[in-house]
Amino acid sequence: MKIIDLRSDTVTLPTPAMREAMYRAEVGDDVFGEDPTVNRLEEMAAERMGKEAALFVVSGTMANLVCLLTHCGRGDEFIVGHLAHTFLYEVGGSAALGGLHPHTVPNRPDGTLDLKDVESAIRGDNIHFPRTRLICLENTHNRCGGAALTVEYTDSLCRLAHSHRIAVHLDGARIFNAAIALGVDVKELTRNVDSVAFCLSKGLSCPVGSLVCGSAEFIAEARRSRKMVGGGMRQAGIIAAAGVVALEEMVDRLAEDHANARRLAEGLAEIPGLSVDLERVQTNIVYFDLIEGSLETDRFLAGLREGGVKMLSTGPRRFRAVTHYGIEAADIEEALMVVRRVMEGG
Ligand SMILES: *Cc1c(COP(=O)(O)O)cnc(C)c1O
């Protein structure tokens, strides 16, 4: 039985072209700046994001940490949404390793932060206060249903930050999903942010890796932060080679994942006992709820498992399904059939 694994787009396996590129990759010592494949990937990433330079790191978590450590010093404050990945799922690394003080403001359901909330969270010059150095955005917003933040919103947040001489970091783990959903070039979503991080290991299907992009000066400093957290790798071209293939071949196909997610969401919405906010499904992430009084969570998940479908439980009666490379339209129909059967108690 084929397992239809919708837990995350991180379960994607490298493509045959990636395996081939990894096998053939020219490599060198990247800490000495001598790995030609890493250098090529960093140049490609910087070009895609419209920034001067880029830095290859092992994970999205390290990418965000390196950016926070580069923008801020000990005791400085950064403003972040209360549902941000950086705040919820990165082990408190910014505080534990950087001595940074997160200041949360509420995420609205569409993943944005209210500019008025942000403005009132910015600290004045007062001996009692930490210094506000940075504002973090996330696009697409994972916990807000994969919502895509628009160019207009991103620009207005950046204008506000810069008018207070505060930097903006964009956690763009799935920034290409946002660009495709909005029908814009990814550069438009990054043009005013001071740093952006994106993942190769999610919808782009690489085994490992993320990139940090920013000014040449920022990236030179970020290179020091990466070394400090133990992220200086040597013949990293072996894994960077997959990233080169991903940027060349795997970006445009994300549109298929969005179409599959939409079909999945529409199918789930028709099944009695489930509730889906269809308006929130913009990219490759679908959240849905088991209505009170229908099946119990454990019974639901066990039924899915028996039918060969995996989804993530993200709350008492809440589930997440993510579409990705390796999931075809037929798999979505199959998954819907399994869910229907489970809900009917069959
Ligand atoms: C997955 C993710 C990360 C972290 O990536 P890892 O590679 O798992 O460390 C950061 N931000 C967002 C929004 C993510 O979805």
Side-chain angles (χ1 to χ4, degrees), residues 8-10 58-64 83-86 89-90 137-143 171-174 197 199-202 209-210 285 320:
S8 177
D9 45 10
T10 56
V58 300
S59 67
T61 299
M62 185 183 280
N64 286 330
L83 295 175
H85 193 283
T86 299
Y89 303 124
E90 294 174 13
L137 285 182
E138 183 174 319
N139 197 9
T140 63
H141 201 292
N142 183 353
R143 272 290 301 269
D171 176 356
R174 297 187 181 84
C199 288
L200 296 168
S201 54
K202 294 187 168 163
S210 280
I285 300 179
R320 191 185 80 168

Side-chain angles (χ1 to χ4, degrees), residues 234-298:
R234 302 297 176 171
Q235 283 73 38
I238 303 276
I239 47 177
V244 171
V245 174
L247 289 181
E248 283 172 346
E249 300 180 2
M250 301 299 284
V251 173
D252 293 340
R253 64 153 303 288
L254 295 173
E256 286 173 43
D257 299 341
H258 297 182
N260 284 336
R262 169 110 314 248
R263 170 66 198 123
L264 178 66
E266 285 168 358
L268 291 170
E270 285 169 8
I271 300 174
L274 299 181
S275 131
V276 192
D277 190 350
L278 285 176
E279 207 191 317
R280 288 265 87 87
V281 182
Q282 297 176 14
T283 57
N284 68 330
I285 300 179
V286 179
Y287 280 92
F288 63 98
D289 296 282
L290 267 176
I291 291 167
E292 208 68 51
S294 65
L295 277 191
E296 287 310 311
T297 295
D298 291 350

